[in-house]
């Protein structure tokens, strides 16, 4: 079977991106990617921390923001051809959420392991 996952990182939803980035900057971390809805910070040891805005941006429905916050932290798994990956997982009886496009254009779908830990498949735009 070909390699499906190319890399991974942990991500948390944040309600106030500026406030969150300021907090992590105080810990000595600097953004390596800095977009209005998404910021990445490289932690010592190679872990990447992603912060995704779930705040009240214009046009964002509160229900969607709450849904993105469910589960707190998530492990992000970058894939190519997310439609195929989700279809393959469903054939293997793995429940995956609907593929959704995030601000900035990345497509993602959530799934949970048997203990309820959240994993997110993402295909970057």
């Amino acid at each position: 079977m070909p390699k499906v996952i190319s890399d991974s990182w942990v991500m948390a939803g944040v309600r106030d991106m500026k406030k969150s980035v300021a907090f992590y900057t105080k810990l000595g971390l600097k953004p390596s990617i800095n977009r209005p809805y998404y910021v990445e910070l490289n932690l010592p040891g190679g872990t990447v921390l992603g912060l995704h805005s779930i705040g009240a941006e214009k046009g964002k429905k509160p229900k969607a923001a709450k849904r993105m916050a469910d589960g707190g932290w998530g492990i992000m798994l970058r894939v190519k051809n997310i439609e195929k990956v989700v279809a393959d997982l469903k054939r293997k009886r793995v429940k995956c959420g609907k593929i959704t496009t995030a601000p900035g254009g990345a497509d993602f779908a959530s799934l949970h392991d048997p203990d309820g830990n959240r994993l997110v498949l993402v295909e970057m735009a």
Side-chain angles (χ1 to χ4, degrees), residues 3-115:
K3 184 168 108 173
V4 175
I5 300 167
S6 62
D7 65 350
S8 61
W9 65 100
V10 291
M11 188 174 79
V14 299
R15 297 207 182 278
D16 184 328
M17 185 63 75
K18 288 181 183 178
K19 189 175 183 179
S20 294
V21 170
F23 170 82
Y24 286 102
T25 300
K26 289 176 186 177
L27 298 179
L29 304 174
K30 294 181 183 176
S32 58
I33 295 176
N34 196 347
R35 297 183 180 144
Y37 295 100
Y38 182 73
V39 172
E40 271 188 9
L41 305 142
N42 295 318
L43 283 71
T47 301
V48 174
L49 169 59
L51 303 175
H52 190 280
S53 176
I54 59 168
E57 293 90 2
K58 288 183 181 178
K60 181 164 263 201
K61 297 177 184 175
K63 214 176 202 181
K66 168 145 181 31
R67 189 172 55 247
M68 291 177 72
D70 289 347
W73 295 88
I75 297 176
M76 311 301 290
L77 304 171
R78 190 181 323 262
V79 299
K80 290 184 181 178
N81 196 345
I82 193 167
E83 292 87 2
K84 181 181 182 311
V85 172
V86 168
D88 288 346
L89 289 170
K90 286 182 177 181
R91 275 194 292 280
K92 295 175 183 176
R93 299 179 189 234
V94 175
K95 292 181 183 178
C96 293
K98 178 181 169 188
I99 297 171
T100 306
T101 302
D107 291 327
F108 65 95
S110 296
L111 59 142
H112 294 82
D113 73 8
D115 294 301

